[in-house]
Amino acid sequence: LNPERFQHTVLIDFSQMNASSATAPIRKEAAQVIEENFAFLQETTVAEARVAPNPLVRGMLTVFDWLQPKPWGINNLSSGPPAELWLRSQLQKARIEVPPELVWDAGRVSRSA
């Protein structure tokens, strides 16, 4: 998805996540995907923001970060607009040009498999 290895930020929407659905096998699979792609992510990721309105989900994400720390900045927020603003500030700190168009659209939900 990024063969040119552009520096980028990651915005993840956990709005639909249920804290009880994050079973051990799901957490293990997520950790495995990160591990398999870690060299690429370490080279290209500036920062990661996660949108999680549910405080239990935010807490789980924070614990996950303590157990599996990453070398890039991570912020767990309760809504999308502040998450996007935080990511934009991280890009600016890294002296990466930030397009003026906002990307967070609360009316649209995307899912990945």
Side-chain angles (χ1 to χ4, degrees):
L1 295 175
N2 186 1
E4 296 86 5
R5 295 179 125 45
F6 290 118
Q7 296 287 293
H8 67 281
T9 58
V10 179
L11 178 57
I12 304 172
D13 184 358
F14 283 103
S15 298
Q16 303 301 314
M17 184 176 179
N18 180 334
S20 64
S21 67
T23 62
I26 290 172
R27 292 190 311 271
K28 184 177 179 180
E29 183 177 350
Q32 183 178 354
V33 169
I34 296 290
E35 185 179 323
E36 289 171 0
N37 296 285
F38 191 77
F40 169 78
L41 292 169
Q42 186 174 18
E43 177 186 337
T44 60
T45 305
V46 174
E48 177 179 334
R50 303 176 188 134
V51 177
N54 184 319
L56 292 174
V57 172
R58 279 197 313 278
M60 286 176 31
L61 293 169
T62 300
V63 169
F64 185 76
D65 294 335
W66 289 339
L67 297 173
Q68 298 287 327
K70 314 259 181 344
W72 54 86
I74 296 176
N75 200 350
N76 298 313
L77 298 118
S78 62
S79 66
E84 181 172 354
L85 290 176
W86 183 78
L87 288 173
R88 288 173 168 277
S89 75
Q90 299 304 299
L91 287 168
Q92 289 169 342
K93 285 180 188 176
R95 300 182 187 271
I96 296 172
E97 186 176 340
V98 180
E101 303 83 24
L102 298 177
V103 298
W104 183 263
D105 182 356
R108 189 175 71 187
V109 175
S110 63
R111 302 195 193 296
S112 64

